[in-house]
Amino acid sequence: GITYLDHAGSALFPESLLKAFTDDLRNNIYGNPHSQNISSKLTYDTIEHVRYRILQHFHTTAEDYTVIFTSGCTAALKLIAEAFPWIPEGTKQPTSRFCYLTDSHTSVVGMRGITASMNVLSVPVKPKEFLLSERNRLPAEEQNCTTPHLFSYPAQSNFSGTKYPLSWIQDIKSGKLCPIKIPGKWFVLLDAASYVCSSPLDLGVHQADFIPISFYKIFGFPTGLGALLVNNQIAPLLRKTYFGGGTAAAYLTEEDFYIPRKSIAERFEDGTVSFLDIIALKHGFDVLEKLTGGMEKIKQHTFALAHYTYTVLSTLKYDNGAPVVRIYSDTDFSNPDVQGPIINFNVLDENGEVIGFSQVDKMASLYNIHVRTGCFCNTGACQMHLDISNEDIQRNLQVGHVCGDDIDLVDGRPTGSVRISFGYMSSFEDAQTFLKFIIDTRLSKSDPEIPFQSTVTKLMTESVPDDHPSFDNADKLSPIPHISDRELGNNWSVNWQPPEAEVESIRAAVSETAVPMCRRGGKPITVTNIYIYPIKSCSAFEVTEWPVGNRGLLYDRSWMVVNQNGVCMTQKQEPRLCLVNPSIDLKKNIMVIQAEGMDSISVSLEENTGKETVICESKVCSHRVKTYDCGERIADWFSLFLGHPCRLIRQSSDIKNRSHQKNSKGLASATNISLSLVNEAQYLLINVASILQLKEHISARLEEPLEIEEIIRRFRANIIISAPESFEEEEWAEISIGALRFQVVGPCSRCQIICIDQQSGERSKEFLQSLSAARGKKTNFGIYLMNQPLRSSFPDILSVGSQVLPVPKENTEIQPPTSGEEKCSG
């Protein structure tokens, strides 16, 4: 089963919600609400009913608030920035200010781009500074100024789960608290997106002026729909320049004449609203109430899980007393009124060094645990908790780190963290599964004969209190299945630590990356094996020599299997892809595809000139890859073998459609270097000496030692070499193989695919864990290469037995081979 722990990112929708919604659509016809026919009138009336239902959910009425539907919380924030009655600099009146708490989502901070264009200053306020804002109170004679200012803060931090006081709303509006010392009237924007997915919000008591929300965070479905709740006292002051369909009472095309509709909602909802999604909200509220009994119960349920997890997590220690995790929190998780169901942390090693979040994410994936990593679109909180300076952010950017990537450590310091969050669908078993994962990967099994006598075991094996609200059996999740493993063993010890000598020997052996030296009379470095992978994520095809094309080895990763939505399938989602064996017959000009229990099938190597479809693979990000479908016959073959609809597509030969962006030294312009359907680079190289070094240590940690051939298959490299020193390839800048020259573009960071037995398709956790332990935090193995052919009369052929001439990073000159003399490797 899957343990989903990213409820702060999105809730999971229950099957009953979808059933109720689709039943509604089958039984009713909903037309465009801007028309006047019967079906359109039904839509309009239903939308109005949903508006009232939203207001009811937040304990208010249409007399006090207006619901404006948007595409999400971000669109609602943008609307506020554009429509707020700012008074800009340069006028005779006192000017407006936009203030925001630094612990705010990117979409809040981004409002300053709009205010800047309106010549309005933005002022960030740190949480600790705001607690002292009573000092900013103005004298009575200055409190009559009516200049509008806006202060934004989150009801709950999406980074740490800290709940900021809702009492601030009234304190700010009354003048008791002032974000900055300036005359004027303060309005309050309460970012409730994170808060309302697990806590009740009473707008009858806490009357903020603007409340943006996203509904998928509450219900999981529909997505792409949010709302802005506007206090009716400020609604008439909002400004609007653009007017779209449905917002005008009357206008002229030939004159500057426009009269907006009187309804605030209709005035700001440009065009036709997403009416079917809005109708789905009605069923979302119904199902939520039926399954849980209301938001107060959700609040207590989710906090109980967070409190339990926090308590155990903060107790875990290594044998030397060092903590296993560093938790980033402003509270001690003792009160649900000040702490939400979010835990933010980094995993540490026994020396207190941070293990990168991308490494933790990879390991969690092996346990089918879904977490969130990075800075969570909240740079301010990330800087505050991780002690990252402004200079650090800019320096990290210079070395290539951007928001959302997997560069988790720069100079040993974390660029982000790991976040888990609970929702109303979460269970006690979810929390236990996560804790077991942390113990399993950071600590180790103890002797099962010795009972585990510690506070941790008592906490982890205690039952849920009888009065703890639980929604486990109320409904089924779709499409994510519920956790099936409800057993947690109690024979896991946090006191285990491998012998220090063994740890040091592993790290010394694996981390050593000596620069290759000249070895007169020594054995030269040669190519021992060449593999191509015609179909991405399918089995390897071994050759002794092979042509080199403009994207790498000819036909390497030129095809890939996609699901019915056109999304690339890899062994991460479908391990049985490794059982598909493609081979290339250059003489017959065909690719033959075989699999056990299936008749073989062939595909022509000639390009199909039929209809092309454009897809985008996540690892190639902004690059679209032109491909075409290989037809129904081959699609039926793959669908039958894999057991669900899928298709085979092939990359077009148009080499301009995807080029590598890195313009490394020594290579021609990046526009001349093209990629196939690979993730990172044209070639992947591994060293047999490095394999042997790892085999010695990894096999000792596995129940059944692996043969070297099996290890090589798991790493799915193109070029296998035999170099004298293990991991010396990580110190190379370039290599030459015959007439071919390759630039080293970086190490290959391994994912959970190496845990899949390439002969059986069976998945295990231990291989990646062992590699991580052996290499120390990172799971790098092998190097990526890009090829720029030398100007030579030799054909571009890569052959087994060819000599490899490396150039270490300190030297960029390649010495040409001399006849009759063995060449040095460095």
Side-chain angles (χ1 to χ4, degrees), residues 691-730:
I691 290 281
L692 291 171
Q693 184 74 68
L694 279 176
K695 179 180 182 297
E696 178 182 347
H697 299 289
I698 290 179
S699 296
R701 301 171 65 94
L702 300 177
E703 293 182 3
E704 297 182 8
L706 300 177
E707 296 298 326
I708 188 169
E709 292 80 9
E710 182 177 349
I711 298 177
I712 289 175
R713 283 194 294 268
R714 287 181 181 235
F715 284 120
R716 297 179 62 80
N718 296 110
I719 303 172
I720 317 298
I721 63 166
S722 176
E725 301 291 336
S726 61
F727 298 101
E728 69 174 77
E729 65 275 12
E730 294 182 353

mmCIF file of all heavy atoms in Angstrom, residues 691-730:
data_model
loop_
_atom_site.group_PDB
_atom_site.id
_atom_site.type_symbol
_atom_site.label_atom_id
_atom_site.label_comp_id
_atom_site.label_asym_id
_atom_site.label_seq_id
_atom_site.Cartn_x
_atom_site.Cartn_y
_atom_site.Cartn_z
ATOM 1 N N ILE A 691 32.534 -1.149 -9.189
ATOM 2 C CA ILE A 691 31.529 -2.189 -8.926
ATOM 3 C C ILE A 691 32.072 -3.201 -7.911
ATOM 4 O O ILE A 691 31.392 -3.587 -6.949
ATOM 5 C CB ILE A 691 31.142 -2.909 -10.231
ATOM 6 C CG1 ILE A 691 30.340 -1.973 -11.140
ATOM 7 C CG2 ILE A 691 30.372 -4.191 -9.943
ATOM 8 C CD1 ILE A 691 28.903 -1.830 -10.755
ATOM 9 N N LEU A 692 33.309 -3.649 -8.121
ATOM 10 C CA LEU A 692 33.901 -4.637 -7.213
ATOM 11 C C LEU A 692 34.043 -4.071 -5.805
ATOM 12 O O LEU A 692 33.843 -4.777 -4.811
ATOM 13 C CB LEU A 692 35.264 -5.078 -7.751
ATOM 14 C CG LEU A 692 35.231 -5.924 -9.030
ATOM 15 C CD1 LEU A 692 36.647 -6.106 -9.588
ATOM 16 C CD2 LEU A 692 34.585 -7.279 -8.761
ATOM 17 N N GLN A 693 34.416 -2.793 -5.736
ATOM 18 C CA GLN A 693 34.561 -2.169 -4.412
ATOM 19 C C GLN A 693 33.222 -2.135 -3.679
ATOM 20 O O GLN A 693 33.136 -2.431 -2.489
ATOM 21 C CB GLN A 693 35.094 -0.741 -4.583
ATOM 22 C CG GLN A 693 35.367 -0.028 -3.279
ATOM 23 C CD GLN A 693 36.632 -0.560 -2.605
ATOM 24 O OE1 GLN A 693 37.731 -0.362 -3.109
ATOM 25 N NE2 GLN A 693 36.480 -1.241 -1.485
ATOM 26 N N LEU A 694 32.165 -1.797 -4.404
ATOM 27 C CA LEU A 694 30.843 -1.762 -3.799
ATOM 28 C C LEU A 694 30.335 -3.161 -3.472
ATOM 29 O O LEU A 694 29.683 -3.375 -2.446
ATOM 30 C CB LEU A 694 29.851 -1.062 -4.730
ATOM 31 C CG LEU A 694 29.868 0.464 -4.701
ATOM 32 C CD1 LEU A 694 28.916 1.024 -5.726
ATOM 33 C CD2 LEU A 694 29.522 0.990 -3.323
ATOM 34 N N LYS A 695 30.592 -4.095 -4.360
ATOM 35 C CA LYS A 695 30.087 -5.461 -4.177
ATOM 36 C C LYS A 695 30.544 -6.039 -2.847
ATOM 37 O O LYS A 695 29.765 -6.699 -2.143
ATOM 38 C CB LYS A 695 30.564 -6.349 -5.326
ATOM 39 C CG LYS A 695 30.110 -7.811 -5.229
ATOM 40 C CD LYS A 695 30.621 -8.612 -6.414
ATOM 41 C CE LYS A 695 30.135 -10.055 -6.362
ATOM 42 N NZ LYS A 695 30.634 -10.802 -5.191
ATOM 43 N N GLU A 696 31.772 -5.764 -2.490
ATOM 44 C CA GLU A 696 32.321 -6.304 -1.247
ATOM 45 C C GLU A 696 31.513 -5.854 -0.035
ATOM 46 O O GLU A 696 31.267 -6.627 0.890
ATOM 47 C CB GLU A 696 33.778 -5.871 -1.106
ATOM 48 C CG GLU A 696 34.426 -6.352 0.183
ATOM 49 C CD GLU A 696 35.859 -5.852 0.292
ATOM 50 O OE1 GLU A 696 36.393 -5.362 -0.733
ATOM 51 O OE2 GLU A 696 36.432 -5.952 1.391
ATOM 52 N N HIS A 697 31.100 -4.599 -0.046
ATOM 53 C CA HIS A 697 30.402 -4.041 1.110
ATOM 54 C C HIS A 697 28.888 -4.215 1.014
ATOM 55 O O HIS A 697 28.232 -4.504 2.008
ATOM 56 C CB HIS A 697 30.759 -2.563 1.264
ATOM 57 C CG HIS A 697 32.215 -2.334 1.482
ATOM 58 N ND1 HIS A 697 32.853 -2.676 2.651
ATOM 59 C CD2 HIS A 697 33.171 -1.825 0.667
ATOM 60 C CE1 HIS A 697 34.145 -2.375 2.555
ATOM 61 N NE2 HIS A 697 34.357 -1.854 1.362
ATOM 62 N N ILE A 698 28.352 -4.052 -0.198
ATOM 63 C CA ILE A 698 26.899 -4.176 -0.349
ATOM 64 C C ILE A 698 26.458 -5.610 -0.118
ATOM 65 O O ILE A 698 25.470 -5.862 0.568
ATOM 66 C CB ILE A 698 26.463 -3.687 -1.748
ATOM 67 C CG1 ILE A 698 26.635 -2.170 -1.843
ATOM 68 C CG2 ILE A 698 25.020 -4.073 -2.033
ATOM 69 C CD1 ILE A 698 26.249 -1.586 -3.177
ATOM 70 N N SER A 699 27.170 -6.558 -0.697
ATOM 71 C CA SER A 699 26.768 -7.956 -0.565
ATOM 72 C C SER A 699 26.754 -8.394 0.890
ATOM 73 O O SER A 699 25.941 -9.222 1.298
ATOM 74 C CB SER A 699 27.711 -8.853 -1.376
ATOM 75 O OG SER A 699 27.596 -8.563 -2.761
ATOM 76 N N ALA A 700 27.665 -7.828 1.702
ATOM 77 C CA ALA A 700 27.715 -8.189 3.120
ATOM 78 C C ALA A 700 26.468 -7.733 3.854
ATOM 79 O O ALA A 700 26.107 -8.282 4.893
ATOM 80 C CB ALA A 700 28.958 -7.568 3.761
ATOM 81 N N ARG A 701 25.785 -6.739 3.302
ATOM 82 C CA ARG A 701 24.593 -6.206 3.960
ATOM 83 C C ARG A 701 23.315 -6.834 3.427
ATOM 84 O O ARG A 701 22.236 -6.584 3.955
ATOM 85 C CB ARG A 701 24.541 -4.684 3.760
ATOM 86 C CG ARG A 701 25.765 -3.956 4.305
ATOM 87 C CD ARG A 701 25.759 -2.505 3.872
ATOM 88 N NE ARG A 701 24.646 -1.782 4.457
ATOM 89 C CZ ARG A 701 24.724 -1.077 5.584
ATOM 90 N NH1 ARG A 701 25.873 -1.029 6.246
ATOM 91 N NH2 ARG A 701 23.684 -0.434 6.058
ATOM 92 N N LEU A 702 23.427 -7.617 2.363
ATOM 93 C CA LEU A 702 22.251 -8.240 1.770
ATOM 94 C C LEU A 702 22.144 -9.688 2.209
ATOM 95 O O LEU A 702 23.141 -10.348 2.511
ATOM 96 C CB LEU A 702 22.332 -8.162 0.240
ATOM 97 C CG LEU A 702 22.417 -6.764 -0.368
ATOM 98 C CD1 LEU A 702 22.571 -6.860 -1.882
ATOM 99 C CD2 LEU A 702 21.192 -5.938 -0.021
ATOM 100 N N GLU A 703 20.929 -10.208 2.217
ATOM 101 C CA GLU A 703 20.725 -11.600 2.605
ATOM 102 C C GLU A 703 21.348 -12.547 1.593
ATOM 103 O O GLU A 703 21.921 -13.573 1.949
ATOM 104 C CB GLU A 703 19.223 -11.876 2.743
ATOM 105 C CG GLU A 703 18.570 -11.132 3.902
ATOM 106 C CD GLU A 703 17.105 -11.461 4.029
ATOM 107 O OE1 GLU A 703 16.620 -12.305 3.245
ATOM 108 O OE2 GLU A 703 16.431 -10.881 4.908
ATOM 109 N N GLU A 704 21.226 -12.204 0.307
ATOM 110 C CA GLU A 704 21.820 -13.023 -0.751
ATOM 111 C C GLU A 704 22.782 -12.154 -1.556
ATOM 112 O O GLU A 704 22.349 -11.216 -2.226
ATOM 113 C CB GLU A 704 20.729 -13.597 -1.665
ATOM 114 C CG GLU A 704 19.774 -14.542 -0.953
ATOM 115 C CD GLU A 704 18.745 -15.120 -1.914
ATOM 116 O OE1 GLU A 704 18.891 -14.894 -3.138
ATOM 117 O OE2 GLU A 704 17.812 -15.787 -1.444
ATOM 118 N N PRO A 705 24.080 -12.437 -1.486
ATOM 119 C CA PRO A 705 25.058 -11.632 -2.233
ATOM 120 C C PRO A 705 24.750 -11.616 -3.727
ATOM 121 O O PRO A 705 24.274 -12.603 -4.297
ATOM 122 C CB PRO A 705 26.387 -12.343 -1.947
ATOM 123 C CG PRO A 705 26.152 -13.079 -0.672
ATOM 124 C CD PRO A 705 24.712 -13.495 -0.701
ATOM 125 N N LEU A 706 25.021 -10.493 -4.360
ATOM 126 C CA LEU A 706 24.748 -10.333 -5.782
ATOM 127 C C LEU A 706 26.013 -10.595 -6.587
ATOM 128 O O LEU A 706 27.120 -10.245 -6.178
ATOM 129 C CB LEU A 706 24.251 -8.911 -6.070
ATOM 130 C CG LEU A 706 22.978 -8.475 -5.353
ATOM 131 C CD1 LEU A 706 22.670 -7.023 -5.677
ATOM 132 C CD2 LEU A 706 21.801 -9.351 -5.763
ATOM 133 N N GLU A 707 25.816 -11.196 -7.752
ATOM 134 C CA GLU A 707 26.927 -11.378 -8.675
ATOM 135 C C GLU A 707 27.225 -10.053 -9.367
ATOM 136 O O GLU A 707 26.350 -9.189 -9.511
ATOM 137 C CB GLU A 707 26.586 -12.448 -9.715
ATOM 138 C CG GLU A 707 26.370 -13.828 -9.127
ATOM 139 C CD GLU A 707 27.609 -14.372 -8.429
ATOM 140 O OE1 GLU A 707 28.731 -14.063 -8.903
ATOM 141 O OE2 GLU A 707 27.464 -15.075 -7.414
ATOM 142 N N ILE A 708 28.460 -9.888 -9.818
ATOM 143 C CA ILE A 708 28.857 -8.633 -10.422
ATOM 144 C C ILE A 708 28.039 -8.317 -11.677
ATOM 145 O O ILE A 708 27.708 -7.169 -11.951
ATOM 146 C CB ILE A 708 30.375 -8.626 -10.738
ATOM 147 C CG1 ILE A 708 30.790 -7.218 -11.198
ATOM 148 C CG2 ILE A 708 30.731 -9.685 -11.782
ATOM 149 C CD1 ILE A 708 32.291 -7.046 -11.281
ATOM 150 N N GLU A 709 27.669 -9.363 -12.448
ATOM 151 C CA GLU A 709 26.869 -9.131 -13.649
ATOM 152 C C GLU A 709 25.509 -8.546 -13.286
ATOM 153 O O GLU A 709 24.981 -7.679 -13.993
ATOM 154 C CB GLU A 709 26.687 -10.437 -14.433
ATOM 155 C CG GLU A 709 27.961 -10.989 -15.064
ATOM 156 C CD GLU A 709 28.832 -11.735 -14.060
ATOM 157 O OE1 GLU A 709 28.358 -11.966 -12.920
ATOM 158 O OE2 GLU A 709 29.983 -12.070 -14.411
ATOM 159 N N GLU A 710 24.929 -9.018 -12.188
ATOM 160 C CA GLU A 710 23.625 -8.499 -11.780
ATOM 161 C C GLU A 710 23.736 -7.050 -11.321
ATOM 162 O O GLU A 710 22.858 -6.224 -11.599
ATOM 163 C CB GLU A 710 23.034 -9.356 -10.657
ATOM 164 C CG GLU A 710 21.638 -8.894 -10.230
ATOM 165 C CD GLU A 710 21.027 -9.778 -9.174
ATOM 166 O OE1 GLU A 710 21.575 -10.879 -8.911
ATOM 167 O OE2 GLU A 710 19.997 -9.368 -8.606
ATOM 168 N N ILE A 711 24.806 -6.718 -10.625
ATOM 169 C CA ILE A 711 25.008 -5.334 -10.185
ATOM 170 C C ILE A 711 25.152 -4.418 -11.393
ATOM 171 O O ILE A 711 24.571 -3.332 -11.443
ATOM 172 C CB ILE A 711 26.237 -5.232 -9.266
ATOM 173 C CG1 ILE A 711 26.018 -6.065 -8.002
ATOM 174 C CG2 ILE A 711 26.503 -3.781 -8.891
ATOM 175 C CD1 ILE A 711 27.210 -6.097 -7.068
ATOM 176 N N ILE A 712 25.917 -4.862 -12.387
ATOM 177 C CA ILE A 712 26.100 -4.059 -13.601
ATOM 178 C C ILE A 712 24.762 -3.825 -14.285
ATOM 179 O O ILE A 712 24.453 -2.705 -14.721
ATOM 180 C CB ILE A 712 27.093 -4.754 -14.558
ATOM 181 C CG1 ILE A 712 28.512 -4.676 -13.987
ATOM 182 C CG2 ILE A 712 27.041 -4.129 -15.954
ATOM 183 C CD1 ILE A 712 29.550 -5.443 -14.788
ATOM 184 N N ARG A 713 23.933 -4.878 -14.377
ATOM 185 C CA ARG A 713 22.625 -4.720 -15.018
ATOM 186 C C ARG A 713 21.761 -3.693 -14.282
ATOM 187 O O ARG A 713 21.040 -2.926 -14.899
ATOM 188 C CB ARG A 713 21.905 -6.061 -15.091
ATOM 189 C CG ARG A 713 22.405 -6.986 -16.184
ATOM 190 C CD ARG A 713 21.436 -8.140 -16.406
ATOM 191 N NE ARG A 713 21.367 -9.018 -15.232
ATOM 192 C CZ ARG A 713 22.129 -10.096 -15.060
ATOM 193 N NH1 ARG A 713 23.021 -10.424 -15.988
ATOM 194 N NH2 ARG A 713 22.013 -10.845 -13.981
ATOM 195 N N ARG A 714 21.850 -3.683 -12.960
ATOM 196 C CA ARG A 714 21.008 -2.762 -12.182
ATOM 197 C C ARG A 714 21.385 -1.304 -12.427
ATOM 198 O O ARG A 714 20.539 -0.418 -12.371
ATOM 199 C CB ARG A 714 21.113 -3.074 -10.687
ATOM 200 C CG ARG A 714 20.396 -4.359 -10.278
ATOM 201 C CD ARG A 714 20.518 -4.590 -8.791
ATOM 202 N NE ARG A 714 19.860 -5.826 -8.377
ATOM 203 C CZ ARG A 714 18.921 -5.899 -7.432
ATOM 204 N NH1 ARG A 714 18.519 -4.797 -6.828
ATOM 205 N NH2 ARG A 714 18.393 -7.057 -7.104
ATOM 206 N N PHE A 715 22.655 -1.034 -12.706
ATOM 207 C CA PHE A 715 23.084 0.345 -12.898
ATOM 208 C C PHE A 715 22.814 0.867 -14.311
ATOM 209 O O PHE A 715 22.976 2.052 -14.567
ATOM 210 C CB PHE A 715 24.561 0.501 -12.541
ATOM 211 C CG PHE A 715 24.820 0.527 -11.063
ATOM 212 C CD1 PHE A 715 25.624 -0.422 -10.459
ATOM 213 C CD2 PHE A 715 24.239 1.503 -10.268
ATOM 214 C CE1 PHE A 715 25.861 -0.403 -9.092
ATOM 215 C CE2 PHE A 715 24.465 1.539 -8.901
ATOM 216 C CZ PHE A 715 25.278 0.580 -8.305
ATOM 217 N N ARG A 716 22.434 0.008 -15.240
ATOM 218 C CA ARG A 716 21.917 0.384 -16.561
ATOM 219 C C ARG A 716 22.816 1.412 -17.272
ATOM 220 O O ARG A 716 22.346 2.439 -17.762
ATOM 221 C CB ARG A 716 20.486 0.899 -16.443
ATOM 222 C CG ARG A 716 19.522 -0.170 -15.922
ATOM 223 C CD ARG A 716 18.115 0.352 -15.777
ATOM 224 N NE ARG A 716 17.561 0.778 -17.039
ATOM 225 C CZ ARG A 716 17.036 -0.012 -17.964
ATOM 226 N NH1 ARG A 716 17.011 -1.334 -17.784
ATOM 227 N NH2 ARG A 716 16.545 0.477 -19.079
ATOM 228 N N ALA A 717 24.114 1.121 -17.330
ATOM 229 C CA ALA A 717 25.058 2.010 -18.001
ATOM 230 C C ALA A 717 25.197 1.632 -19.463
ATOM 231 O O ALA A 717 24.864 0.513 -19.879
ATOM 232 C CB ALA A 717 26.410 1.955 -17.307
ATOM 233 N N ASN A 718 25.733 2.567 -20.263
ATOM 234 C CA ASN A 718 26.028 2.296 -21.668
ATOM 235 C C ASN A 718 27.430 1.740 -21.856
ATOM 236 O O ASN A 718 27.651 0.826 -22.646
ATOM 237 C CB ASN A 718 25.913 3.584 -22.499
ATOM 238 C CG ASN A 718 24.528 4.156 -22.522
ATOM 239 O OD1 ASN A 718 24.271 5.198 -21.944
ATOM 240 N ND2 ASN A 718 23.608 3.472 -23.193
ATOM 241 N N ILE A 719 28.365 2.328 -21.124
ATOM 242 C CA ILE A 719 29.774 1.979 -21.310
ATOM 243 C C ILE A 719 30.328 1.456 -19.990
ATOM 244 O O ILE A 719 30.252 2.135 -18.964
ATOM 245 C CB ILE A 719 30.592 3.204 -21.768
ATOM 246 C CG1 ILE A 719 29.993 3.798 -23.063
ATOM 247 C CG2 ILE A 719 32.052 2.836 -21.971
ATOM 248 C CD1 ILE A 719 30.619 5.119 -23.463
ATOM 249 N N ILE A 720 30.875 0.242 -20.031
ATOM 250 C CA ILE A 720 31.525 -0.347 -18.861
ATOM 251 C C ILE A 720 33.023 -0.366 -19.148
ATOM 252 O O ILE A 720 33.450 -0.846 -20.204
ATOM 253 C CB ILE A 720 31.038 -1.788 -18.591
ATOM 254 C CG1 ILE A 720 29.530 -1.903 -18.759
ATOM 255 C CG2 ILE A 720 31.487 -2.238 -17.206
ATOM 256 C CD1 ILE A 720 28.718 -1.070 -17.819
ATOM 257 N N ILE A 721 33.810 0.168 -18.219
ATOM 258 C CA ILE A 721 35.256 0.206 -18.418
ATOM 259 C C ILE A 721 35.950 -0.545 -17.286
ATOM 260 O O ILE A 721 35.366 -0.798 -16.229
ATOM 261 C CB ILE A 721 35.794 1.651 -18.469
ATOM 262 C CG1 ILE A 721 35.543 2.359 -17.133
ATOM 263 C CG2 ILE A 721 35.180 2.423 -19.622
ATOM 264 C CD1 ILE A 721 36.324 3.644 -16.965
ATOM 265 N N SER A 722 37.193 -0.892 -17.525
ATOM 266 C CA SER A 722 38.011 -1.526 -16.504
ATOM 267 C C SER A 722 39.182 -0.609 -16.212
ATOM 268 O O SER A 722 40.158 -0.543 -16.962
ATOM 269 C CB SER A 722 38.521 -2.883 -17.008
ATOM 270 O OG SER A 722 39.395 -3.469 -16.080
ATOM 271 N N ALA A 723 39.056 0.164 -15.115
ATOM 272 C CA ALA A 723 40.120 1.068 -14.693
ATOM 273 C C ALA A 723 40.788 0.493 -13.450
ATOM 274 O O ALA A 723 40.157 -0.232 -12.678
ATOM 275 C CB ALA A 723 39.567 2.459 -14.412
ATOM 276 N N PRO A 724 42.061 0.809 -13.232
ATOM 277 C CA PRO A 724 42.763 0.212 -12.079
ATOM 278 C C PRO A 724 42.193 0.632 -10.731
ATOM 279 O O PRO A 724 42.130 -0.169 -9.811
ATOM 280 C CB PRO A 724 44.203 0.717 -12.244
ATOM 281 C CG PRO A 724 44.315 1.088 -13.683
ATOM 282 C CD PRO A 724 42.968 1.580 -14.087
ATOM 283 N N GLU A 725 41.776 1.890 -10.600
ATOM 284 C CA GLU A 725 41.355 2.409 -9.313
ATOM 285 C C GLU A 725 39.834 2.547 -9.256
ATOM 286 O O GLU A 725 39.214 3.020 -10.207
ATOM 287 C CB GLU A 725 41.995 3.780 -9.054
ATOM 288 C CG GLU A 725 43.506 3.785 -9.056
ATOM 289 C CD GLU A 725 44.071 3.050 -7.853
ATOM 290 O OE1 GLU A 725 43.358 2.956 -6.837
ATOM 291 O OE2 GLU A 725 45.224 2.574 -7.931
ATOM 292 N N SER A 726 39.251 2.158 -8.141
ATOM 293 C CA SER A 726 37.806 2.348 -7.974
ATOM 294 C C SER A 726 37.495 3.834 -7.805
ATOM 295 O O SER A 726 38.222 4.573 -7.150
ATOM 296 C CB SER A 726 37.320 1.579 -6.743
ATOM 297 O OG SER A 726 37.940 2.046 -5.569
ATOM 298 N N PHE A 727 36.443 4.247 -8.458
ATOM 299 C CA PHE A 727 35.916 5.614 -8.386
ATOM 300 C C PHE A 727 36.873 6.679 -8.904
ATOM 301 O O PHE A 727 36.642 7.860 -8.697
ATOM 302 C CB PHE A 727 35.454 5.949 -6.958
ATOM 303 C CG PHE A 727 34.339 5.071 -6.485
ATOM 304 C CD1 PHE A 727 34.591 4.011 -5.627
ATOM 305 C CD2 PHE A 727 33.046 5.268 -6.941
ATOM 306 C CE1 PHE A 727 33.566 3.170 -5.216
ATOM 307 C CE2 PHE A 727 32.018 4.440 -6.530
ATOM 308 C CZ PHE A 727 32.270 3.389 -5.674
ATOM 309 N N GLU A 728 37.918 6.275 -9.599
ATOM 310 C CA GLU A 728 38.778 7.297 -10.180
ATOM 311 C C GLU A 728 38.067 8.039 -11.304
ATOM 312 O O GLU A 728 38.394 9.179 -11.615
ATOM 313 C CB GLU A 728 40.089 6.688 -10.679
ATOM 314 C CG GLU A 728 39.969 5.786 -11.901
ATOM 315 C CD GLU A 728 41.343 5.354 -12.416
ATOM 316 O OE1 GLU A 728 41.967 4.456 -11.812
ATOM 317 O OE2 GLU A 728 41.784 5.940 -13.416
ATOM 318 N N GLU A 729 37.040 7.417 -11.879
ATOM 319 C CA GLU A 729 36.300 8.069 -12.961
ATOM 320 C C GLU A 729 35.620 9.363 -12.492
ATOM 321 O O GLU A 729 35.340 10.255 -13.303
ATOM 322 C CB GLU A 729 35.250 7.107 -13.554
ATOM 323 C CG GLU A 729 34.128 6.688 -12.614
ATOM 324 C CD GLU A 729 34.480 5.499 -11.741
ATOM 325 O OE1 GLU A 729 35.671 5.111 -11.677
ATOM 326 O OE2 GLU A 729 33.552 4.952 -11.120
ATOM 327 N N GLU A 730 35.366 9.490 -11.201
ATOM 328 C CA GLU A 730 34.722 10.691 -10.688
ATOM 329 C C GLU A 730 35.649 11.901 -10.682
ATOM 330 O O GLU A 730 35.207 13.021 -10.440
ATOM 331 C CB GLU A 730 34.187 10.432 -9.275
ATOM 332 C CG GLU A 730 33.062 9.398 -9.259
ATOM 333 C CD GLU A 730 32.492 9.158 -7.875
ATOM 334 O OE1 GLU A 730 33.063 9.703 -6.901
ATOM 335 O OE2 GLU A 730 31.490 8.426 -7.760
#
